Amino acid sequence: MHRDPPPSQPRTAPELVPSLVLDLDQMLDEFTPLPVRAEFRFDPDLPAVITVEFRAERGPGLVWHIGRELLHRGLTSMSGCGDIRMWPALPRERPSSWLLLESQEVEALFEVPAAPLAQWLEATYRITPAEAEMAGLHWDDFLRELLDGPATACE
């Protein structure tokens, strides 16, 4: 579900909020964490959706598109349903949240450090506040991009 922006469009606005690279722990089982690096990207042209690329040591990365509000709420309470859910971990030395991703091909549970993600999300909300996320959104293009479908003319 990843599509690169057309090369003809200049892409300077996303630089307002640089991507966030975090070291996460993927829980292979209850006691076995596997370090995974993830890059969170914000595009002001599509502010409601955060692109997260989970980078594997070997092989291609895995890209997920996650609602910005789901990530923000998941830092403090249960958020999401279905394929993507996030909730705070029990209080510990390092505050974190659990991010569960499920599909037909994969199920993965990640521990995400809460503080850097919260600060980064706040920076995105300064660029595009929550109440302005859907302003100017062209729904046909949004759904086509989200579903990674072929571009077709609507009649």
Side-chain angles (χ1 to χ4, degrees), residues 41-82:
R41 291 188 301 269
F42 171 73
D43 182 350
D45 292 335
L46 194 59
V49 178
I50 300 297
T51 300
V52 185
E53 181 178 0
F54 298 90
R55 299 178 183 165
E57 265 190 46
R58 295 186 177 123
L62 182 63
V63 175
W64 280 71
H65 301 285
I66 303 175
R68 180 169 66 157
E69 181 180 359
L70 185 151
L71 291 171
H72 188 256
R73 286 186 182 193
L75 293 169
T76 58
S77 64
M78 182 61 158
S79 179
C81 62

Side-chain angles (χ1 to χ4, degrees), residues 3-69:
R3 183 183 299 196
D4 292 327
S8 61
Q9 295 178 339
R11 303 301 294 182
T12 58
E15 294 171 7
L16 296 172
V17 179
S19 63
L20 172 68
V21 177
L22 290 176
D23 291 322
L24 314 181
D25 283 330
Q26 179 181 0
M27 301 308 294
L28 300 179
D29 61 37
E30 191 174 340
F31 303 105
T32 312
L34 174 69
V36 173
R37 184 155 283 177
E39 181 179 5
F40 294 74
R41 291 188 301 269
F42 171 73
D43 182 350
D45 292 335
L46 194 59
V49 178
I50 300 297
T51 300
V52 185
E53 181 178 0
F54 298 90
R55 299 178 183 165
E57 265 190 46
R58 295 186 177 123
L62 182 63
V63 175
W64 280 71
H65 301 285
I66 303 175
R68 180 169 66 157
E69 181 180 359

Side-chain angles (χ1 to χ4, degrees), residues 71-141:
L71 291 171
H72 188 256
R73 286 186 182 193
L75 293 169
T76 58
S77 64
M78 182 61 158
S79 179
C81 62
D83 294 349
I84 305 172
R85 288 171 276 173
M86 189 169 168
W87 64 96
L90 294 175
R92 316 194 331 207
E93 183 178 313
R94 178 184 87 152
S96 62
S97 288
W98 296 110
L99 176 63
L100 177 64
L101 306 175
E102 296 179 301
S103 74
Q104 292 179 358
E105 297 85 30
V106 68
E107 177 178 310
L109 178 64
F110 299 93
E111 185 175 11
V112 180
L117 181 58
Q119 291 172 347
W120 184 80
L121 287 169
E122 288 304 318
T124 72
Y125 281 113
R126 284 192 296 274
I127 300 299
T128 307
E131 58 274 5
E133 283 181 342
M134 300 302 175
L137 181 66
H138 186 271
W139 283 99
D140 291 337
D141 290 343

